[in-house]
Structures are given as C-alpha cells and as structure tokens.
Amino acid sequence: MQQKFSFKLLPSEAVNNDIIKKLLASAAGKKKEAISGFYIEKKSIDARGKTIWVNISVHAFIDEPFQQRPFLHFDFKSVNKVLKKVIIIGAGPAGLFAALQLLEKGIKPIILERGKDVRARRRDLAVLNKNGIINTESNYCFGEGGAGTYSDGKLYTRSNKRGDINRILNLFVHFGADEKILYEAHPHIGTNKLPQIITSMRKLIIDCGGEFLFEKKVIDFIINNEKIESVKTIDDSVFEADAIILATGHSARDIFELLHHKNILIEAKAFALGVRVEHPQSLIDNIQYHCTTREDDLPAASYNLVQQINNTGVFSFCMCPGGIIAPAATSKGELVLNGWSPSKRDNPFANSGIVVQVELKDIIKNKKLKIKNDALSMMYFQQQIEQNSFAAGGGNFVAPAQRMVDFTNAKKSSSLPDSSYLPGLNSSQLNEILPSFIYQPLAKAFIEFGKKMKGYFTNEAIVVATESRTSSPVRIPRDANLLSHPQLKNLYPCGEGAGYAGGIVSAAMDGERVAAQIAAII
Ligand SMILES: Cc1cc2nc3c(=O)[nH]c(=O)nc-3n(C[C@H](O)[C@H](O)[C@H](O)COP(=O)(O)OP(=O)(O)OC[C@H]3O[C@@H](n4cnc5c(N)ncnc54)[C@H](O)[C@@H]3O)c2cc1C
C-alpha cells in the first residue's frame, strides 16, 4: 500500500529518517518494519511562532517494496540530419531551455553566445573581483548559462501560469541538481553547483547534433520581406535559420540599441531600482528564528519585505542568505550589484536588493535627469545611476556604501562594517547618487522594515549602491498567440530581456514556450 501523510516536526526531527519512519508506522497503525521506505513530497519551514516547525508531506510505502521518487523523462532527439533549424541568440536559461525543447521536438538549435564557457568565465569573474577589471563580454551577466550561472540559483517563482514549473525543476534534476529542489518550498541550487549543470546541458545539446558557439556576439540582423534573413556576428560570420529566438537578457544594451536604430519596435518598460543591503547572517537568523543561535538543522534565514510608501512600492529582491554581494556590471564605468550564495549558504552575511518601482513618468518629469522620452529612456536612466555609483565608489568597482541608519539620516558613515563585497566599499552619501524619488521611499521603508522585523533597522547593516538590473528596462513586443515580433514574422523575443520573464525558472519556461510555438509552425 502507498499512502501520503503530513507531519509538523521540529527541525531536528525533520532530518531524522528513523523518527519519520516511526511516525509513519504509528500514523498507519503498523509496525515500523512494515514501512519499506518513503520520500518527501513537500517541505516548508514555519517560523511564525516561538517554536520553529518543519511541515513535511511524505509518500510512504507500507507492506510493499519501496519505489524511488518518479522523475519526468525526456526524449531528446538526434538532429544531426535534420534540416529544420532555429538560431537562439543567448545561452541564458531562456536560450538553453528553448534549445532543450527544440531537441525534444526534433529541431536543430544553433546557439550563438557572446560570452565564454562556464570555466573560462569563472577566471574573468576572479579578475573582476580581485583586480576590479571587467571583461565586457564575460562577466556575471554574459557567458554560458547567462545571468543564472553564477547566481544563487533560487528556483522559486510565482509565475506558475506561464508554464510547467515542475518540468523545469525535473530538467534541472535530470542535468544534475539535487532532487530536494523538487519538494522544498523555496528551492535553490547554489553558485558552486550551477556551472556543472549548465555544462551537462551543453554536452547534451552538442551530443544530439545542436550547435553551441561561444564568442559569437550578434551585431546585426539582415532583414528582407518582413523576416530576418540572416544574423551577423562580431567575427563577420553569417547565420541563417527558419526562426530566430532573441534571448539576450536584460543587460544586452547593444541589442536594444540595434533594434531601436533599425526601427524595429521596442518599448520603454517599468522596472525597479535601489540598493543592496547587507546584515550579519546571525542577526537575520536571530530575528527570523527568535533565537540567539540558529539550530544546526535550520537553513540560514531569509526574508521577504514589501512596503508601500506614498503609493510607491518598495520591496526586497533576490535575497541571498549566507551570500555574497557581486559586481554584476557589463560595461566599464558602471556599478551594478547583485547577490549569490553557495549551496550551503554558509557565508556570514545576508544580503538583499531593496528596490523601488520606477515608471517612465518618474523619469520624464524629472528635469534633472535630462533623459528624452523614447523607447530607451528607462535604459539610459538605469545607466546614468550606474555611472553615478561607479564614480562615487572611486573606480575599480569599489562600491559606495553607508550604514543603514546613517542612510536614512543622509549622514556619511564614519566607518563601514565588514562586507562580503570583494572589490571593496567607499563610505559615501547615497542620497547624492540616487534621485530623491528613489532615495526618499527607500529611507522611509527601512524604518518601516525595522518595525516588521525588530533589529533589521540598524547601523550594523550597510546599504550599497546600486541594485539596478532587477528586470528589463525595455520590452520587445510580440504577438500574444504567435509569440513573434509584430514586424518580423520569424523573430521571437524571449526571456527576461524581452520583458516576458523575471528569474531563472520563468525565463526557462518562456524559452520552452517560444520553442514549442516555433515547432508548431515550422
Ligand atoms: C548575480 C545574479 C544572481 C541572480 N540570482 C538569481 C536567483 O537566485 N534566482 C533567479 O531566479 N534569478 C536570479 N538572477 C536572475 C536570473 O539569472 C535571470 O533572471 C535569468 O538568467 C534571465 O534569463 P535569460 O535567459 O532571459 O537571460 P540571461 O540569463 O541574461 O541570458 C542572456 C544571454 O544572452 C547573451 N547575449 C547577450 N547579448 C548577446 C548578443 N548580442 N549575442 C549573443 N549573445 C548575447 C548573454 O551573454 C547571456 O548569456 C540572478 C542574476 C544575477 C546576475
């Protein structure tokens, strides 16, 4: 017999299979020996009360042999002799999952990626963190696996209407991720594990007969008769295909400029901008777990904060428990922050973006910004703040920073605490970098966050500028059903850069969706 049970356990009990077996036996009215095995179907932590509980749903095998968790199976076809081919520009989650979907449909993917493979990319990241020198084609956003590779690998998404989340998680497991991502409420993989998973995906794509080309930055589209006839890369190579998936991410400003200059329709898009905040992890653990020391069986605590300040939304974004603040710029002279964490989340810091929603009207009505009203307005606003931040840091990706209480008082901090940010920090007044429509809501929100999480609003925390690449500042429009661009029948804008996804899982689902649509019509 197979039966499902739910239990509310202490953290130490939830990691003890023997205890779970005993509970199963008692719940089923059987002896312990009758339970041949079980697997967890759902697991979440409830830290709302004084006692921390772990809720688990268990699939148990009683008086019958244990069977492993059922995984989804995938049928990737050999496309060596196939004539139908699709160019995918960008090897981020959207591009990679589009390629995998094409292989399942028996169509040949040709991936053109501007950056390097994961291994070469790691060396460029080391130079950036250590020497403050950026490779504009190989960094935290550009290269194999896109912005997702050296990320936290949080796989939690609310976009459950956009595709099959379970399929995406199973694909990650198929390529080497731990199966716990299938049942944890907030699954994550970790920066140390992602590169190997991405490498396995590349290997499969090539083994099936797909092409995976690095250092092939797309620089032009040759257009004829409302179609993209060919795609030109930086080394003057030309590629032709039945369809083109444009999955270049939110940082490919040259692609947005290329489309704009070629009069291919794009639109300015609202996004969120702000700062990255870092606390000692122990402080966040104390607040969230109501304790003085976190129990070994509990993960580093996270938080999720939202506050309306005079009708403007301020919210936490991409919170990284036990993580590192990373320099995520893609150009010289611009400072962009993001965060990552290893699978164990065992660094002594907790960081998170705290960002303010920005609309086009905020930019246009602000005369100080001097930004003209067109499809690239939001992108140039984003760039301007990143340049201000770089200048305030003093160069080499040193970031301007302020203690949290000092930030709200617009007071320069006399000293800064230790931080995970490797290029270093420079004590600065962030109200001089951020426009007041960003600074004011942030300052007020920190005080409110301190009321929701007692101890959060403290000078032990630092505020670092700037968190600016939360989503794309541009939308590349597409037909709601056909998914192709309204002016170019065989161009398929896809993923985060086109404005149809935010985060790894939603970008991956969008890649699958676009590829399935192409397969249905070519
Ligand atoms: C440090 C960091 C941490 C993050 N943490 C998380 C997280 O924990 N969870 C989460 O869900 N999301 C996270 N994100 C965001 C997530 O990575 C993105 O939402 C996701 O990668 C978007 O996928 P995408 O495929 O649409 O675009 P991208 O991942 O941006 O991929 C675009 C690809 O296109 C390539 N490209 C760009 N221009 C060209 C060109 N002209 N020619 C050829 N190739 C080109 C780029 O090199 C890149 O590889 C993080 C991002 C960063 C930077």
Side-chain angles (χ1 to χ4, degrees):
M1 177 175 49
Q2 296 178 34
Q3 214 174 329
K4 293 181 193 206
F5 296 93
S6 295
F7 301 112
K8 188 172 169 179
L9 305 177
L10 293 170
S12 57
E13 294 171 338
V15 292
N16 187 325
N17 285 356
D18 204 47
I19 290 183
I20 296 174
K21 251 189 177 180
K22 275 187 197 150
L23 287 168
L24 284 170
S26 142
K30 298 272 179 179
K31 287 195 171 154
K32 202 177 140 208
E33 295 68 44
I35 313 295
S36 63
F38 67 88
Y39 56 77
I40 298 176
E41 285 191 334
K42 276 190 193 145
K43 184 174 185 181
S44 62
I45 294 172
D46 182 352
R48 287 172 298 178
K50 264 203 157 171
T51 308
I52 314 282
W53 295 108
V54 178
N55 294 317
I56 57 170
S57 300
V58 180
H59 189 115
F61 295 80
I62 307 159
D63 290 328
E64 73 168 53
F66 171 64
Q67 293 164 42
Q68 294 294 337
R69 177 193 308 280
F71 296 104
L72 296 185
H73 287 282
F74 304 96
D75 178 19
F76 302 109
K77 309 209 167 50
S78 166
V79 292
N80 283 306
K81 294 185 185 141
V82 164
L83 294 178
K84 285 182 186 171
K85 52 187 181 187
V86 172
I87 291 173
I88 299 172
I89 311 174
L96 286 175
F97 282 75
L100 296 173
Q101 175 77 196
L102 289 173
L103 289 175
E104 286 191 88
K105 306 277 185 196
I107 297 170
K108 176 173 176 153
I110 303 172
I111 300 180
L112 304 177
E113 167 55 49
R114 76 194 291 161
K116 302 180 190 172
D117 67 51
V118 284
R119 209 193 262 190
R121 196 175 164 194
R122 190 191 291 276
R123 287 193 283 273
D124 293 320
L125 296 184
V127 173
L128 173 60
N129 278 305
K130 221 169 147 196
N131 309 330
I133 298 168
I134 190 157
N135 180 330
T136 55
E137 306 305 325
S138 175
N139 43 57
Y140 276 98
C141 292
F142 294 162
E144 185 178 20
T149 309
Y150 291 98
S151 76
D152 206 19
K154 284 182 285 294
L155 301 178
Y156 175 66
T157 179
R158 287 199 183 91
S159 339
N160 46 4
K161 289 197 186 116
R162 293 192 191 168
D164 186 344
I165 297 172
N166 188 44
R167 229 186 90 83
I168 302 297
L169 297 179
N170 267 272
L171 274 162
F172 272 113
V173 172
H174 180 87
F175 289 101
D178 193 311
E179 68 179 67
K180 70 178 185 204
I181 65 168
L182 299 175
Y183 60 78
E184 289 194 338
H186 292 99
H188 89 113
I189 295 181
T191 312
N192 48 327
K193 307 262 167 139
L194 282 155
Q196 188 50 48
I197 294 169
I198 303 291
T199 305
S200 304
M201 288 183 186
R202 183 216 315 153
K203 199 172 167 317
L204 181 278
I205 292 167
I206 294 171
D207 287 350
C208 286
E211 288 181 46
F212 206 130
L213 307 172
F214 294 107
E215 300 185 68
K216 290 277 184 202
K217 174 172 159 180
V218 169
I219 55 159
D220 204 2
F221 301 116
I222 316 303
I223 297 170
N224 193 5
N225 202 15
E226 294 182 6
K227 277 188 157 186
I228 295 194
E229 195 174 81
S230 59
V231 164
K232 192 171 154 195
T233 54
I234 188 109
D235 54 355
D236 272 340
S237 307
V238 172
F239 295 84
E240 290 176 8
D242 299 290
I244 290 109
I245 298 178
L246 186 62
T248 41
H250 60 24
S251 292
R253 288 183 177 151
D254 36 18
I255 286 289
F256 296 138
E257 282 172 335
L258 175 69
L259 295 172
H260 194 51
H261 294 148
K262 288 185 100 74
N263 288 322
I264 299 170
L265 192 64
I266 57 170
E267 298 156 2
K269 183 183 144 295
F271 70 106
L273 184 143
V275 290
R276 199 150 266 266
V277 167
E278 188 168 74
H279 290 80
Q281 179 62 50
S282 54
L283 194 149
I284 298 298
D285 290 341
N286 297 351
I287 301 172
Q288 300 297 71
Y289 293 143
H290 338 287
C291 63
T292 43
T293 319
R294 168 165 47 103
E295 277 183 53
D296 285 347
D297 299 315
L298 282 172
S302 63
Y303 60 83
N304 185 13
L305 291 164
V306 187
Q307 186 68 43
Q308 283 292 318
I309 303 286
N310 303 331
N311 293 326
T312 300
V314 184
F315 53 95
S316 56
F317 172 81
C318 187
M319 199 267 148
C320 299
I324 304 274
I325 301 180
T330 45
S331 298
K332 292 179 184 162
E334 295 169 2
L335 211 144
V336 180
L337 302 173
N338 211 309
W340 61 264
S341 67
S343 54
K344 288 190 178 152
R345 289 188 158 159
D346 53 0
N347 269 289
F349 299 102
N351 73 71
S352 176
I354 302 289
V355 292
V356 179
Q357 187 66 18
V358 187
E359 308 289 333
L360 181 61
K361 62 177 171 31
D362 301 324
I363 311 302
I364 299 310
K365 74 179 181 205
N366 191 311
K367 298 288 173 244
K368 272 195 208 155
L369 294 168
K370 296 194 186 107
I371 289 176
K372 86 170 183 211
N373 186 358
D374 70 12
L376 297 179
S377 305
M378 297 298 270
M379 185 185 94
Y380 288 134
F381 163 69
Q382 181 189 52
Q383 186 175 38
Q384 200 179 99
I385 305 297
E386 291 169 3
Q387 288 170 346
N388 292 349
S389 183
F390 186 89
N396 287 356
F397 297 95
V398 172
Q402 209 165 359
R403 289 180 185 262
M404 188 179 273
V405 179
D406 293 344
F407 175 88
T408 58
N409 293 327
K411 174 183 166 237
K412 192 168 174 179
S413 302
S414 54
S415 68
L416 294 173
D418 286 344
S419 162
S420 66
Y421 184 69
L422 290 172
L425 301 176
N426 184 18
S427 176
S428 312
Q429 291 209 198
L430 302 191
N431 58 315
E432 291 171 4
I433 300 168
L434 301 166
S436 69
F437 64 86
I438 304 279
Y439 169 75
Q440 292 294 349
L442 278 176
K444 289 184 181 143
F446 286 141
I447 297 168
E448 296 305 315
F449 291 163
K451 294 177 190 164
K452 293 179 181 179
M453 277 176 70
K454 297 264 174 323
Y456 184 91
F457 181 58
T458 166
N459 251 348
E460 274 188 72
I462 38 167
V463 180
V464 195
T466 182
E467 173 89 24
S468 48
R469 308 259 176 112
T470 51
S471 72
S472 185
V474 171
R475 181 178 308 282
I476 311 177
R478 68 186 188 193
D479 183 277
N481 298 316
L482 299 173
L483 307 184
S484 55
H485 191 275
Q487 293 162 317
L488 297 164
K489 290 178 210 147
N490 65 343
L491 178 67
Y492 291 83
C494 180
E496 187 161 45
Y500 299 99
I504 296 168
V505 172
S506 73
M509 289 194 296
D510 200 51
E512 287 206 322
R513 186 168 170 229
V514 165
Q517 168 63 18
I518 294 172
I521 59 159
I522 66 169

